[in-house]
Amino acid sequence: MLESTRGQIECLKAHLAPTINWRISHLNCILFCGMVLPGFDEYREYAARLLNETFWRQVDEDGSHEERCPSSYHQWMMRLFTSLVYLGQARPKLGLQIDPARVGRMWDYALYSTTPDSGSSGMHDGGVWTPTRPFKSLAAERKQYLKAVGLKGDQWAVEREPSRFFPDAGHLFLRDSWKPDATYASIDAVQYGGGHCHMSKLAVNLYSGKRMLLYDPGVFTYEDSDPFMAYGKSTAAHNTVTLRNHNQVET
């Protein structure tokens, strides 16, 4: 089994994904094997070094992951890098250089993107808002993370600032309070982040009266043969300006 695993890791190294969550997942798997399997120590330095590089390339200063999906892919990457911050604290000799403050801003981006009932804003390849799929623990988990890494001060006091613009992502989130019955709007002037992004420039989504009134459809399906796959990414499916229902760009 160990011989087979070593062969698979060497194959993965030779075909390492160059971008997005694939690269991070590949490297995280290699690091895991290097830490738990006997005789695999050599892979720790390799994985840690490239995870450092990938973090600084893919996570922008405002905390947004380059794929621009705050309720789905971003949260996956946020939790992965959170675990690497904790691992770096526990095992400093690994050489992980994942900035705790930038990961803290990843938690901010995820929190601000949620609707007042802690649901998904549905932006890009995320899940559409529904009252039965909240992220109830997100605020508490964020607070726990900030405490664990020693981040405190006014910049982390989100209760004083219910609205925020994330310039690197191109996302503006507006709300009149953090209460469950708040009015909330998101404006999507996204910096294009690849295949998980929709053609939804300047789309506006509105939550009020404890429900979504202007929806972002999120992702319907990844199955190419289903016509809703292409439609869900299209400009016509979003609350923005269209010209004869054409897409803003073909990509």
mmCIF file of all heavy atoms in Angstrom, residues 38-68:
data_model
loop_
_atom_site.group_PDB
_atom_site.id
_atom_site.type_symbol
_atom_site.label_atom_id
_atom_site.label_comp_id
_atom_site.label_asym_id
_atom_site.label_seq_id
_atom_site.Cartn_x
_atom_site.Cartn_y
_atom_site.Cartn_z
ATOM 1 N N PRO A 38 4.563 6.517 7.454
ATOM 2 C CA PRO A 38 5.980 6.294 7.783
ATOM 3 C C PRO A 38 6.855 6.338 6.528
ATOM 4 O O PRO A 38 6.511 5.774 5.495
ATOM 5 C CB PRO A 38 5.976 4.894 8.414
ATOM 6 C CG PRO A 38 4.752 4.228 7.863
ATOM 7 C CD PRO A 38 3.734 5.316 7.698
ATOM 8 N N GLY A 39 7.960 7.073 6.635
ATOM 9 C CA GLY A 39 8.897 7.158 5.517
ATOM 10 C C GLY A 39 8.524 8.164 4.451
ATOM 11 O O GLY A 39 9.153 8.198 3.392
ATOM 12 N N PHE A 40 7.533 9.024 4.712
ATOM 13 C CA PHE A 40 7.077 10.006 3.718
ATOM 14 C C PHE A 40 7.444 11.437 4.117
ATOM 15 O O PHE A 40 6.914 12.389 3.567
ATOM 16 C CB PHE A 40 5.560 9.891 3.519
ATOM 17 C CG PHE A 40 5.139 8.750 2.646
ATOM 18 C CD1 PHE A 40 5.359 7.427 3.027
ATOM 19 C CD2 PHE A 40 4.529 8.971 1.421
ATOM 20 C CE1 PHE A 40 4.971 6.369 2.226
ATOM 21 C CE2 PHE A 40 4.136 7.920 0.609
ATOM 22 C CZ PHE A 40 4.356 6.610 1.005
ATOM 23 N N ASP A 41 8.396 11.566 5.053
ATOM 24 C CA ASP A 41 8.761 12.887 5.558
ATOM 25 C C ASP A 41 9.216 13.832 4.458
ATOM 26 O O ASP A 41 9.044 15.055 4.559
ATOM 27 C CB ASP A 41 9.882 12.762 6.601
ATOM 28 C CG ASP A 41 9.457 11.952 7.812
ATOM 29 O OD1 ASP A 41 8.339 11.420 7.808
ATOM 30 O OD2 ASP A 41 10.250 11.853 8.760
ATOM 31 N N GLU A 42 9.805 13.306 3.407
ATOM 32 C CA GLU A 42 10.381 14.145 2.347
ATOM 33 C C GLU A 42 9.334 15.018 1.654
ATOM 34 O O GLU A 42 9.670 16.033 1.044
ATOM 35 C CB GLU A 42 11.041 13.244 1.287
ATOM 36 C CG GLU A 42 10.023 12.410 0.511
ATOM 37 C CD GLU A 42 10.606 11.143 -0.079
ATOM 38 O OE1 GLU A 42 10.855 10.193 0.688
ATOM 39 O OE2 GLU A 42 10.781 11.118 -1.308
ATOM 40 N N TYR A 43 8.057 14.606 1.739
ATOM 41 C CA TYR A 43 7.009 15.348 1.043
ATOM 42 C C TYR A 43 6.494 16.546 1.840
ATOM 43 O O TYR A 43 5.773 17.392 1.295
ATOM 44 C CB TYR A 43 5.842 14.418 0.705
ATOM 45 C CG TYR A 43 6.221 13.331 -0.264
ATOM 46 C CD1 TYR A 43 6.202 11.995 0.115
ATOM 47 C CD2 TYR A 43 6.603 13.635 -1.570
ATOM 48 C CE1 TYR A 43 6.548 10.984 -0.774
ATOM 49 C CE2 TYR A 43 6.956 12.639 -2.472
ATOM 50 C CZ TYR A 43 6.929 11.313 -2.055
ATOM 51 O OH TYR A 43 7.278 10.321 -2.938
ATOM 52 N N ARG A 44 6.862 16.605 3.116
ATOM 53 C CA ARG A 44 6.344 17.698 3.948
ATOM 54 C C ARG A 44 6.857 19.051 3.472
ATOM 55 O O ARG A 44 6.083 19.994 3.280
ATOM 56 C CB ARG A 44 6.748 17.484 5.408
ATOM 57 C CG ARG A 44 6.161 16.244 6.051
ATOM 58 C CD ARG A 44 6.691 16.109 7.480
ATOM 59 N NE ARG A 44 6.353 14.821 8.056
ATOM 60 C CZ ARG A 44 6.795 14.393 9.227
ATOM 61 N NH1 ARG A 44 7.590 15.182 9.946
ATOM 62 N NH2 ARG A 44 6.448 13.202 9.690
ATOM 63 N N GLU A 45 8.175 19.173 3.291
ATOM 64 C CA GLU A 45 8.766 20.449 2.887
ATOM 65 C C GLU A 45 8.256 20.871 1.524
ATOM 66 O O GLU A 45 7.941 22.054 1.298
ATOM 67 C CB GLU A 45 10.293 20.337 2.879
ATOM 68 C CG GLU A 45 11.018 21.653 2.651
ATOM 69 C CD GLU A 45 11.124 22.054 1.173
ATOM 70 O OE1 GLU A 45 11.118 21.142 0.308
ATOM 71 O OE2 GLU A 45 11.207 23.275 0.891
ATOM 72 N N TYR A 46 8.154 19.912 0.614
ATOM 73 C CA TYR A 46 7.667 20.202 -0.737
ATOM 74 C C TYR A 46 6.248 20.770 -0.691
ATOM 75 O O TYR A 46 5.955 21.825 -1.279
ATOM 76 C CB TYR A 46 7.695 18.915 -1.565
ATOM 77 C CG TYR A 46 6.961 18.998 -2.883
ATOM 78 C CD1 TYR A 46 7.572 19.537 -4.013
ATOM 79 C CD2 TYR A 46 5.651 18.533 -3.004
ATOM 80 C CE1 TYR A 46 6.895 19.614 -5.230
ATOM 81 C CE2 TYR A 46 4.973 18.608 -4.211
ATOM 82 C CZ TYR A 46 5.603 19.145 -5.312
ATOM 83 O OH TYR A 46 4.923 19.221 -6.518
ATOM 84 N N ALA A 47 5.357 20.085 0.031
ATOM 85 C CA ALA A 47 3.960 20.510 0.079
ATOM 86 C C ALA A 47 3.822 21.839 0.811
ATOM 87 O O ALA A 47 3.076 22.729 0.365
ATOM 88 C CB ALA A 47 3.103 19.442 0.746
ATOM 89 N N ALA A 48 4.524 22.009 1.931
ATOM 90 C CA ALA A 48 4.418 23.254 2.695
ATOM 91 C C ALA A 48 4.908 24.445 1.879
ATOM 92 O O ALA A 48 4.279 25.511 1.868
ATOM 93 C CB ALA A 48 5.212 23.137 3.989
ATOM 94 N N ARG A 49 6.021 24.270 1.170
ATOM 95 C CA ARG A 49 6.577 25.368 0.369
ATOM 96 C C ARG A 49 5.610 25.803 -0.721
ATOM 97 O O ARG A 49 5.380 26.997 -0.936
ATOM 98 C CB ARG A 49 7.917 24.920 -0.240
ATOM 99 C CG ARG A 49 8.537 25.919 -1.197
ATOM 100 C CD ARG A 49 9.969 25.521 -1.536
ATOM 101 N NE ARG A 49 10.076 24.126 -1.921
ATOM 102 C CZ ARG A 49 9.870 23.684 -3.172
ATOM 103 N NH1 ARG A 49 9.529 24.537 -4.125
ATOM 104 N NH2 ARG A 49 10.013 22.397 -3.466
ATOM 105 N N LEU A 50 5.000 24.844 -1.407
ATOM 106 C CA LEU A 50 4.084 25.194 -2.490
ATOM 107 C C LEU A 50 2.724 25.662 -1.972
ATOM 108 O O LEU A 50 2.059 26.464 -2.624
ATOM 109 C CB LEU A 50 3.936 24.018 -3.449
ATOM 110 C CG LEU A 50 5.184 23.696 -4.287
ATOM 111 C CD1 LEU A 50 4.890 22.600 -5.297
ATOM 112 C CD2 LEU A 50 5.700 24.929 -5.009
ATOM 113 N N LEU A 51 2.312 25.176 -0.809
ATOM 114 C CA LEU A 51 1.082 25.708 -0.215
ATOM 115 C C LEU A 51 1.259 27.180 0.162
ATOM 116 O O LEU A 51 0.335 27.986 -0.004
ATOM 117 C CB LEU A 51 0.678 24.892 1.011
ATOM 118 C CG LEU A 51 -0.076 23.590 0.720
ATOM 119 C CD1 LEU A 51 -0.118 22.704 1.956
ATOM 120 C CD2 LEU A 51 -1.492 23.867 0.208
ATOM 121 N N ASN A 52 2.444 27.534 0.666
ATOM 122 C CA ASN A 52 2.720 28.942 0.946
ATOM 123 C C ASN A 52 2.583 29.773 -0.327
ATOM 124 O O ASN A 52 1.900 30.808 -0.343
ATOM 125 C CB ASN A 52 4.136 29.110 1.501
ATOM 126 C CG ASN A 52 4.310 28.510 2.882
ATOM 127 O OD1 ASN A 52 3.339 28.346 3.625
ATOM 128 N ND2 ASN A 52 5.533 28.182 3.237
ATOM 129 N N GLU A 53 3.225 29.333 -1.377
ATOM 130 C CA GLU A 53 3.174 30.059 -2.661
ATOM 131 C C GLU A 53 1.747 30.175 -3.168
ATOM 132 O O GLU A 53 1.309 31.248 -3.623
ATOM 133 C CB GLU A 53 4.067 29.343 -3.681
ATOM 134 C CG GLU A 53 3.910 29.787 -5.123
ATOM 135 C CD GLU A 53 2.963 28.888 -5.902
ATOM 136 O OE1 GLU A 53 3.028 27.654 -5.743
ATOM 137 O OE2 GLU A 53 2.144 29.436 -6.659
ATOM 138 N N THR A 54 1.002 29.084 -3.074
ATOM 139 C CA THR A 54 -0.365 29.062 -3.601
ATOM 140 C C THR A 54 -1.288 29.962 -2.781
ATOM 141 O O THR A 54 -2.158 30.642 -3.339
ATOM 142 C CB THR A 54 -0.893 27.618 -3.621
ATOM 143 O OG1 THR A 54 -0.016 26.815 -4.428
ATOM 144 C CG2 THR A 54 -2.289 27.546 -4.206
ATOM 145 N N PHE A 55 -1.108 29.981 -1.479
ATOM 146 C CA PHE A 55 -1.913 30.860 -0.637
ATOM 147 C C PHE A 55 -1.734 32.311 -1.052
ATOM 148 O O PHE A 55 -2.721 33.048 -1.244
ATOM 149 C CB PHE A 55 -1.524 30.672 0.832
ATOM 150 C CG PHE A 55 -2.150 31.681 1.757
ATOM 151 C CD1 PHE A 55 -3.471 31.557 2.150
ATOM 152 C CD2 PHE A 55 -1.410 32.762 2.237
ATOM 153 C CE1 PHE A 55 -4.063 32.496 3.008
ATOM 154 C CE2 PHE A 55 -1.995 33.701 3.086
ATOM 155 C CZ PHE A 55 -3.320 33.562 3.463
ATOM 156 N N TRP A 56 -0.505 32.754 -1.197
ATOM 157 C CA TRP A 56 -0.254 34.164 -1.512
ATOM 158 C C TRP A 56 -0.669 34.516 -2.929
ATOM 159 O O TRP A 56 -0.962 35.675 -3.229
ATOM 160 C CB TRP A 56 1.212 34.500 -1.264
ATOM 161 C CG TRP A 56 1.530 34.482 0.206
ATOM 162 C CD1 TRP A 56 2.177 33.496 0.899
ATOM 163 C CD2 TRP A 56 1.179 35.472 1.168
ATOM 164 N NE1 TRP A 56 2.255 33.810 2.234
ATOM 165 C CE2 TRP A 56 1.656 35.015 2.428
ATOM 166 C CE3 TRP A 56 0.518 36.695 1.099
ATOM 167 C CZ2 TRP A 56 1.479 35.755 3.591
ATOM 168 C CZ3 TRP A 56 0.352 37.430 2.265
ATOM 169 C CH2 TRP A 56 0.826 36.960 3.494
ATOM 170 N N ARG A 57 -0.732 33.554 -3.815
ATOM 171 C CA ARG A 57 -1.196 33.808 -5.180
ATOM 172 C C ARG A 57 -2.718 33.832 -5.271
ATOM 173 O O ARG A 57 -3.287 34.607 -6.033
ATOM 174 C CB ARG A 57 -0.655 32.738 -6.136
ATOM 175 C CG ARG A 57 0.800 32.880 -6.511
ATOM 176 C CD ARG A 57 1.205 31.782 -7.478
ATOM 177 N NE ARG A 57 2.613 31.847 -7.818
ATOM 178 C CZ ARG A 57 3.123 32.573 -8.815
ATOM 179 N NH1 ARG A 57 2.317 33.319 -9.553
ATOM 180 N NH2 ARG A 57 4.421 32.568 -9.062
ATOM 181 N N GLN A 58 -3.386 32.967 -4.518
ATOM 182 C CA GLN A 58 -4.822 32.772 -4.719
ATOM 183 C C GLN A 58 -5.714 33.547 -3.753
ATOM 184 O O GLN A 58 -6.884 33.797 -4.083
ATOM 185 C CB GLN A 58 -5.172 31.275 -4.629
ATOM 186 C CG GLN A 58 -4.610 30.449 -5.757
ATOM 187 C CD GLN A 58 -5.285 29.086 -5.864
ATOM 188 O OE1 GLN A 58 -6.406 28.888 -5.422
ATOM 189 N NE2 GLN A 58 -4.594 28.138 -6.471
ATOM 190 N N VAL A 59 -5.216 33.920 -2.603
ATOM 191 C CA VAL A 59 -6.049 34.633 -1.630
ATOM 192 C C VAL A 59 -5.659 36.109 -1.662
ATOM 193 O O VAL A 59 -4.528 36.469 -1.351
ATOM 194 C CB VAL A 59 -5.886 34.058 -0.215
ATOM 195 C CG1 VAL A 59 -6.766 34.830 0.768
ATOM 196 C CG2 VAL A 59 -6.253 32.585 -0.202
ATOM 197 N N ASP A 60 -6.603 36.948 -2.047
ATOM 198 C CA ASP A 60 -6.320 38.375 -2.183
ATOM 199 C C ASP A 60 -6.269 39.064 -0.825
ATOM 200 O O ASP A 60 -6.689 38.521 0.190
ATOM 201 C CB ASP A 60 -7.376 39.035 -3.066
ATOM 202 C CG ASP A 60 -7.208 38.660 -4.529
ATOM 203 O OD1 ASP A 60 -6.057 38.657 -5.006
ATOM 204 O OD2 ASP A 60 -8.215 38.369 -5.187
ATOM 205 N N GLU A 61 -5.778 40.307 -0.839
ATOM 206 C CA GLU A 61 -5.579 41.043 0.401
ATOM 207 C C GLU A 61 -6.879 41.261 1.154
ATOM 208 O O GLU A 61 -6.899 41.306 2.386
ATOM 209 C CB GLU A 61 -4.912 42.385 0.103
ATOM 210 C CG GLU A 61 -4.479 43.134 1.345
ATOM 211 C CD GLU A 61 -3.686 44.392 1.024
ATOM 212 O OE1 GLU A 61 -3.357 44.596 -0.156
ATOM 213 O OE2 GLU A 61 -3.401 45.166 1.957
ATOM 214 N N ASP A 62 -8.000 41.392 0.427
ATOM 215 C CA ASP A 62 -9.281 41.608 1.114
ATOM 216 C C ASP A 62 -9.875 40.312 1.672
ATOM 217 O O ASP A 62 -10.949 40.322 2.272
ATOM 218 C CB ASP A 62 -10.294 42.308 0.202
ATOM 219 C CG ASP A 62 -10.742 41.451 -0.984
ATOM 220 O OD1 ASP A 62 -10.297 40.298 -1.107
ATOM 221 O OD2 ASP A 62 -11.539 41.955 -1.794
ATOM 222 N N GLY A 63 -9.175 39.188 1.468
ATOM 223 C CA GLY A 63 -9.620 37.915 2.022
ATOM 224 C C GLY A 63 -10.397 37.050 1.064
ATOM 225 O O GLY A 63 -10.752 35.913 1.404
ATOM 226 N N SER A 64 -10.675 37.516 -0.132
ATOM 227 C CA SER A 64 -11.456 36.722 -1.087
ATOM 228 C C SER A 64 -10.558 35.744 -1.835
ATOM 229 O O SER A 64 -9.456 36.088 -2.252
ATOM 230 C CB SER A 64 -12.169 37.639 -2.088
ATOM 231 O OG SER A 64 -11.244 38.438 -2.797
ATOM 232 N N HIS A 65 -11.062 34.527 -1.977
ATOM 233 C CA HIS A 65 -10.355 33.549 -2.806
ATOM 234 C C HIS A 65 -10.631 33.853 -4.271
ATOM 235 O O HIS A 65 -11.707 34.321 -4.636
ATOM 236 C CB HIS A 65 -10.804 32.126 -2.465
ATOM 237 C CG HIS A 65 -10.098 31.081 -3.259
ATOM 238 N ND1 HIS A 65 -10.705 30.398 -4.289
ATOM 239 C CD2 HIS A 65 -8.818 30.619 -3.211
ATOM 240 C CE1 HIS A 65 -9.833 29.556 -4.818
ATOM 241 N NE2 HIS A 65 -8.681 29.675 -4.192
ATOM 242 N N GLU A 66 -9.671 33.588 -5.127
ATOM 243 C CA GLU A 66 -9.741 34.038 -6.511
ATOM 244 C C GLU A 66 -10.918 33.464 -7.302
ATOM 245 O O GLU A 66 -11.275 34.004 -8.350
ATOM 246 C CB GLU A 66 -8.441 33.699 -7.244
ATOM 247 C CG GLU A 66 -8.189 32.214 -7.442
ATOM 248 C CD GLU A 66 -6.953 31.948 -8.307
ATOM 249 O OE1 GLU A 66 -6.330 32.926 -8.744
ATOM 250 O OE2 GLU A 66 -6.633 30.764 -8.529
ATOM 251 N N GLU A 67 -11.561 32.400 -6.816
ATOM 252 C CA GLU A 67 -12.685 31.837 -7.559
ATOM 253 C C GLU A 67 -13.996 32.586 -7.328
ATOM 254 O O GLU A 67 -14.985 32.336 -8.018
ATOM 255 C CB GLU A 67 -12.839 30.348 -7.227
ATOM 256 C CG GLU A 67 -11.675 29.529 -7.757
ATOM 257 C CD GLU A 67 -11.795 28.053 -7.427
ATOM 258 O OE1 GLU A 67 -11.390 27.647 -6.318
ATOM 259 O OE2 GLU A 67 -12.291 27.302 -8.283
ATOM 260 N N ARG A 68 -14.012 33.503 -6.358
ATOM 261 C CA ARG A 68 -15.115 34.451 -6.162
ATOM 262 C C ARG A 68 -16.464 33.795 -5.886
ATOM 263 O O ARG A 68 -17.497 34.244 -6.360
ATOM 264 C CB ARG A 68 -15.263 35.380 -7.375
ATOM 265 C CG ARG A 68 -13.984 35.958 -7.938
ATOM 266 C CD ARG A 68 -13.200 36.740 -6.906
ATOM 267 N NE ARG A 68 -12.057 37.397 -7.545
ATOM 268 C CZ ARG A 68 -10.944 37.729 -6.908
ATOM 269 N NH1 ARG A 68 -10.804 37.470 -5.618
ATOM 270 N NH2 ARG A 68 -9.952 38.323 -7.540
#
